Structure formats: C-alpha cells, structure tokens
Amino acid sequence: MVGSPHEAMHRIFQHDPGVFTRAVRALGLPFLDPLEVALLPTDLTETRPVERRVDTLLRIRTVDGAFLLLVEAQGKIDHAKPAAWAYYLSHLHAKYRLPPVLLIVCQDQQTAHWARRPPAIGMPFRRSLILAPIVLGPHNVPAVTDPATAAADIPLAALSAVTHANEPDINAILKALAAALHGFDEDQSIFAELTEMGLGTSPAAKTWRKLMSLDLTFFRSESSQRLRAEGHAEGHAEGHAEGVCGSILRVLERRGVEVPAEAHDRINACTDQDTLHAWLDRSLVVTDVQDLFHD
C-alpha cells in the first residue's frame, strides 16, 4: 500500500463510494444514494505515447440512472491540472456515454479555493469548455469530533480526518475516529490505514499512531456524559434527541444489526435523554436490537 495523503484522499471513495453522496449532501447537491458501484480502470492512456491516469474512477448507478465519479486528490495548486481534468471528462464521456462528475479532494483551503475555479477553455468572448468540479476540503467537510457520530459513519469520519489534517481541530477528530474504530471489527481497519496515509508527515500522524495503540473506550463514556449534560440545556433537548436517535440507528445499520419497523419507531419516538444515551452506548455492542431496550 502506497503511504501518502494523495492515495488516502481518493481511495476512501473506493472502499465506501457512498461517502461521496453523504459528503456532498451538505452542499445541497441532489446526488442520490448509490444502488450499485463498479470500480473502473483508471488508465486513460491513448494509443499515442501520452499517459493519462485518473486517481479513482467509479461507475455509480442510482434509481435515476448511472454516472461516472472521477475522484482526484489535489495536494497543492498545479496550473497544469485543469487541462488534464478537461481531457479526463471529455474522454470518459466519449468512452462510456455516461455523465462524468469530477470530485477534487484537498487538504488545505488555499488549494480548495483554487480548485473550485478552474479557468475556462476557449476564447475570452466565447468559452468552449467550462469545468465545474465538486471540491471537498477542510472548508466544507464536517469536523467529526464526536465518537458516536464517527461510529455512525466511519468512512466519513476518516475523510474528515484526512481533509482536516492540518487544521486546529484535527486532534479532536482523531480521538473520535480512534474511539469509534476501537469499537468495531477488523473490517473497518482499512480506514485506520487510510487515515494514517492521509495524515502523511504532519504532526497529527504521530498523534494518530499513539491513539491507535491505546484503549480508547473511555472517550465514548466521556462523550456520553458530555452529550447527556448538553441534552438538558434549555432549547436544545428536542434537536439533540433527534440527533441521538439518528446516531443510534446509523450505528446499528453500520454494524449490520437488523432494526424492524417497530424498533425503529420506538427509537424515534423516545425523547428521554438518559434513555437515549443508554441506547446509544448499547448500540455499539449489541447484536440484537431487542437487547438495546433491556436494562
């Protein structure tokens, strides 16, 4: 496995393509959850000696049809890249006859700001090609600092860590992700590796290695106590209860625990903060949803 932030920034989407939809949903973009995903060859080399390779290329099918997701990891400003992106998009559209979507993942706000506004191709008075990529970076990927939220969506939490590698809140993000990963089986270990790759040589990489060598279950308890205290704050209780209900259901879903309609409705109907937090703690370990409700 190549150890670099560049690899991690796009390979997260290979291991869980659905994180694309969840990450851009906050941007108000109407992408639907994928029904089927196929990893396509990334080699776009033509017969002439010009080599073109994308970082990650996925064919995603939804209820509205299929599209191609081209993921490019961009570690710094490179003024030669927009021309390559234009080539990738036109080539893929001609080859697969599917709508191509360009996603650029960055680790700093300066690069992300540049990537959002690639220069148009053509004459000043008549543009022939205008690129409109989706850009994810520390400016719009949420900082996942709560262990329960991280456990509910580990791939998105890993993406949060990678894109915030050099941000002030990185330590809190890493603690939450490490605590979440300690509560899951080895199937999720790939995201621990991708996180370490994504942190590269940043100071946060040392913090991550230390965290992953410790037993961090106490972070979940600490978070639970904090959430319980916040849950009683005036004007916050209702919205907080909805958030905890969503976290419980998401954790159960990610862990493969079946939730019948009756149990789903019971969780959503509960407004008692202590009960919800007890269920949230149990959702990390139960194998049957009925065990969630037993004292």
Side-chain angles (χ1 to χ4, degrees), residues 95 155 203:
K95 181 176 181 179

Side-chain angles (χ1 to χ4, degrees), residues 2 21 32 45 139 147 154 162 167 181 207 212 223 228 240 264:
V2 179
T21 303
L32 301 176
T45 307
H139 64 292
I154 286 179
V162 170
E167 296 296 306
L181 284 168
T207 301
M212 291 307 293
S223 175
R228 186 175 293 109
H240 181 68
H264 188 283

Side-chain angles (χ1 to χ4, degrees), residues 244-260:
V244 177
C245 288
S247 294
I248 293 170
L249 293 169
R250 185 62 177 162
V251 169
L252 293 172
E253 177 188 350
R254 294 295 298 175
R255 296 186 59 242
V257 179
E258 183 178 357
V259 182

Side-chain angles (χ1 to χ4, degrees), residues 160-178:
S160 176
V162 170
T163 53
H164 287 257
N166 300 304
E167 296 296 306
D169 51 7
I170 184 59
N171 285 346
I173 296 172
L174 294 180
K175 288 180 180 180
L177 178 57

